[in-house]
């Protein structure tokens, strides 16, 4: 299998990198998109201005805030289904959010990127140009529902180098 490209699939595969803000989803997704040649979307780009304003002010989003955002993510996945595979980042903190994303055309597979909360907080405190403040890490952790045993997905622990994380993800994707 050259360059980590997965075997041919019968249906589109939508790879959703989930987890709290600062866990490493975006860096991993960008690298995977480059390696796999799949369309990539950063979930933050789908937030309406009102959501960004709330988060910038340190106010956690409600479910009502999240539904339109998640629906637009699912619509993007449907639009890109002809590409054979997509990669997106999305916190997908609750199972009900993942259930909505799973309604996209094709197979939706979640890679839950986890990392030590202290490391995440430190990253977020030093991250420039992002609207999500480190003060929201506790609310994201409180909202997070781990992948269920019956959910199509895997957990990736972000504790090494980015290259190691990419290789772990590519091994998982190759088996899809």
């Amino acid at each position: 299998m050259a360059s980590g490209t997965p075997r041919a699939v019968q249906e589109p595969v939508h790879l959703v990198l989930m987890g709290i803000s600062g866990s490493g989803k975006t860096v991993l997704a960008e690298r995977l998109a480059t390696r796999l040649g799949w369309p990539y979307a950063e979930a933050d780009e789908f937030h309406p201005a009102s959501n960004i304003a709330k988060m910038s002010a340190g106010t956690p989003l409600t479910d009502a805030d999240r539904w339109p955002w998640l629906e637009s993510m699912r619509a993007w996945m449907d639009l890109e289904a002809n590409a054979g595979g997509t990669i997106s980042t999305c916190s997908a903190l609750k199972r009900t959010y993942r259930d909505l994303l799973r309604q996209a055309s094709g197979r939706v597979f979640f890679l839950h990127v986890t990392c030590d909360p202290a490391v995440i907080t430190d990253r977020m405190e030093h991250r420039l140009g992002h609207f999500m403040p480190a003060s929201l890490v506790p609310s994201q952790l409180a909202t997070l529902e781990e992948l269920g045993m019956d959910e199509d997905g895997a957990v990736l622990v972000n504790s090494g180098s980015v290259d190691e994380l990419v290789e772990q993800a590519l091994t998982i994707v190759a088996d899809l």
Side-chain angles (χ1 to χ4, degrees):
M1 206 166 302
S3 302
T5 304
R7 63 179 170 74
V9 292
Q10 299 298 331
E11 64 181 339
V13 173
H14 302 287
L15 186 61
V16 179
L17 279 68
M18 64 168 280
I20 70 167
S21 186
S23 62
K25 300 181 303 288
T26 299
V27 171
L28 177 58
E30 289 169 347
R31 296 269 185 101
L32 290 173
T34 298
R35 292 280 297 271
L36 297 171
W38 291 359
Y40 161 66
E42 167 60 51
D44 289 344
E45 296 172 11
F46 291 84
H47 274 297
S50 58
N51 283 7
I52 292 172
K54 281 182 91 169
M55 290 183 285
S56 295
T59 304
L61 297 180
T62 65
D63 284 352
D65 296 323
R66 287 188 176 108
W67 291 124
W69 168 63
L70 292 164
E71 288 169 359
S72 65
M73 289 291 305
R74 182 191 61 207
W76 177 83
M77 292 160 65
D78 283 337
L79 285 173
E80 296 293 333
N82 290 339
T86 67
I87 298 172
S88 60
T89 59
C90 182
S91 55
L93 297 175
K94 292 184 179 180
R95 183 184 186 115
T96 55
Y97 305 162
R98 297 188 295 271
D99 289 344
L100 187 145
L101 294 172
R102 266 192 284 277
Q103 294 172 13
S105 301
R107 181 178 181 186
V108 179
F109 188 86
F110 293 92
L111 279 178
H112 181 185
V113 183
T114 66
C115 190
D116 181 293
V119 171
I120 290 173
T121 300
D122 183 62
R123 281 183 191 159
M124 291 180 66
E125 287 173 347
H126 295 95
R127 184 162 67 173
L128 301 176
H130 197 277
F131 57 83
M132 177 72 83
S135 63
L136 290 179
V137 169
S139 72
Q140 286 208 326
L141 287 168
T143 303
L144 177 65
E145 296 173 2
E146 303 288 336
L147 282 173
M149 294 297 290
D150 60 334
E151 291 187 86
D152 199 10
V155 175
L156 285 176
V157 178
N158 186 358
S159 61
S161 72
V162 173
D163 290 337
E164 291 169 335
L165 195 63
V166 169
E167 291 307 317
Q168 290 174 32
L170 287 171
T171 299
I172 292 167
V173 172
D175 291 333
L176 298 181

